[in-house]
Amino acid sequence: GATLRPGRESMSASLGAERIAIDVQGVHEKLERVEAEARIAPMRIDVRSLGVTWEGQRASSAGRVDGPFDAPRIDVTVRGDVDVAAVGARAGSPWKLAGLVRANGRLQGPIESPKVSADVAFDELIAGPVKARAGSARLAVADGALTVTDVRARAFDGSATGSAVVVPAHPERDRVT
């Protein structure tokens, strides 16, 4: 259910739902155990808490949306676990993927193209024939490029480190070290 509580300069809102289905422009997702608390003002929405379960994994978020009704900008933090098998299936991965990735991230900027940054870590991750353990990395998405830095993991009977930049619109700019 949903509750709205009017106030002098803003209203408080809460939402709770067992399941929400999203079907927009080819995206078909189901979110479960959705819980949210927010304060809505004319020029800002403060999301005090947002919790959802996706593919059996819980995630939480908090932040704000400035200018929500004309030129929205967001500043949101997200924390949770991601099942890489579910992501791989949606992305059409040619390899079987398995493992959970713990993510702590932030989205900032215009809602249509926010900058995204995240620290990720995993205990064990499998991608086809490759198995890695005790891994971590920093990710950033901005201006159409994915940058992965501080990559560390145990793999191939040793340790692996590296970084990468992927620019889907300009593959000639891709770099891996």
Side-chain angles (χ1 to χ4, degrees):
T3 304
L4 292 174
R5 293 175 296 284
R8 270 194 166 168
E9 297 176 12
S10 65
M11 73 174 87
S12 294
S14 62
L15 170 71
E18 273 305 306
R19 178 173 292 160
I20 294 177
I22 300 170
D23 288 304
V24 178
Q25 297 179 348
V27 174
H28 309 286
E29 294 294 346
K30 289 181 185 158
L31 303 175
E32 298 175 325
R33 294 180 37 224
V34 178
E35 301 164 348
E37 293 287 332
R39 186 177 69 78
I40 303 168
M43 295 306 297
R44 183 173 172 155
I45 298 173
D46 286 304
V47 179
R48 295 181 182 132
S49 66
L50 172 61
V52 301
T53 299
W54 180 72
E55 293 293 334
Q57 302 303 316
R58 193 74 179 155
S60 61
S61 179
R64 70 176 193 266
V65 180
D66 293 317
F69 306 109
D70 52 4
R73 296 182 64 80
I74 60 172
D75 188 353
V76 177
T77 59
V78 180
R79 173 175 284 128
D81 293 340
V82 178
D83 179 347
V84 296
V87 174
R90 282 165 180 74
S93 174
W95 300 310
K96 178 183 175 190
L97 302 178
L100 289 179
V101 173
R102 295 178 302 280
N104 291 309
R106 188 170 186 184
L107 292 81
Q108 295 178 284
I111 202 161
E112 66 275 359
S113 61
K115 292 181 179 180
V116 179
S117 59
D119 291 325
V120 297
F122 60 86
D123 295 324
E124 181 174 274
L125 193 62
I126 299 170
V130 178
K131 184 183 287 188
R133 297 186 193 318
S136 63
R138 291 181 169 235
L139 287 76
V141 177
D143 303 322
L146 166 65
T147 304
V148 183
T149 58
D150 298 330
V151 176
R152 297 182 189 338
R154 290 191 345 243
F156 306 110
D157 296 324
S159 62
T161 61
S163 64
V165 175
V166 179
V167 186
H170 299 280
E172 70 279 3
R173 295 183 191 166
D174 293 353
R175 294 187 320 271
V176 177
T177 57

